[in-house]
Amino acid sequence: MSIKRIETGARMSGAVVHGNTVYLAGQVGEGETVKEQCEYALREVDRLLAVAGSDKSKILQTLIYLSDMSYFAEMNAAWEAWIDPANTPARATSEAKLAAPKYKVEFTVTAAL
């Protein structure tokens, strides 16, 4: 099977397509609030999935990392406003120390083509 790398950099690719599966790099957002960061990151998910030839209705799994679990309800509100309610993926949310202190949330998405 072929491997297609999208937006490849020195350290990582924004997305990788292998067979009929799209793997996105973790997406973080800009902004002060969890809501702003979620909305930014999820727009990037939409954009990368589109470049790969997929969309959010084909998401298989999402792993969500929060820098503090106290953000869970705010993240869920942003997620529920964005996700396709007819095609919700498998999902897990964990608390984790993210790459920089300014980041409050990160989404790692796997989708079908």
Side-chain angles (χ1 to χ4, degrees):
M1 275 188 210
S2 66
I3 298 173
K4 176 183 174 185
R5 298 179 195 285
I6 298 168
E7 297 181 9
T8 301
R11 184 172 294 154
M12 65 182 181
S13 296
V16 175
V17 179
H18 179 250
N20 291 320
T21 307
V22 182
Y23 304 89
L24 299 189
Q27 298 301 306
V28 295
E30 297 298 324
E32 295 299 316
T33 68
V34 173
K35 180 179 188 278
E36 290 169 340
Q37 289 191 17
C38 286
E39 289 170 348
Y40 184 101
L42 294 170
R43 281 193 304 273
E44 282 299 294
V45 168
D46 280 331
R47 185 184 69 75
L48 285 166
L49 288 175
V51 170
S54 188
D55 62 63
K56 67 184 165 189
S57 74
K58 297 175 183 162
I59 295 174
L60 303 171
Q61 180 182 46
T62 301
L63 303 176
I64 304 170
Y65 304 98
L66 295 171
S67 63
D68 189 311
M69 285 305 283
S70 68
Y71 301 143
F72 190 70
E74 190 175 357
M75 176 279 298
N76 270 332
W79 171 264
E80 290 168 5
W82 174 80
I83 195 65
D84 178 353
N87 294 290
T88 55
R91 192 189 99 168
T93 305
S94 300
E95 183 174 287
K97 188 172 185 177
L98 300 180
K102 70 178 185 175
Y103 297 128
K104 296 174 170 41
V105 63
E106 181 173 354
F107 296 89
T108 303
V109 171
T110 304
L113 282 180

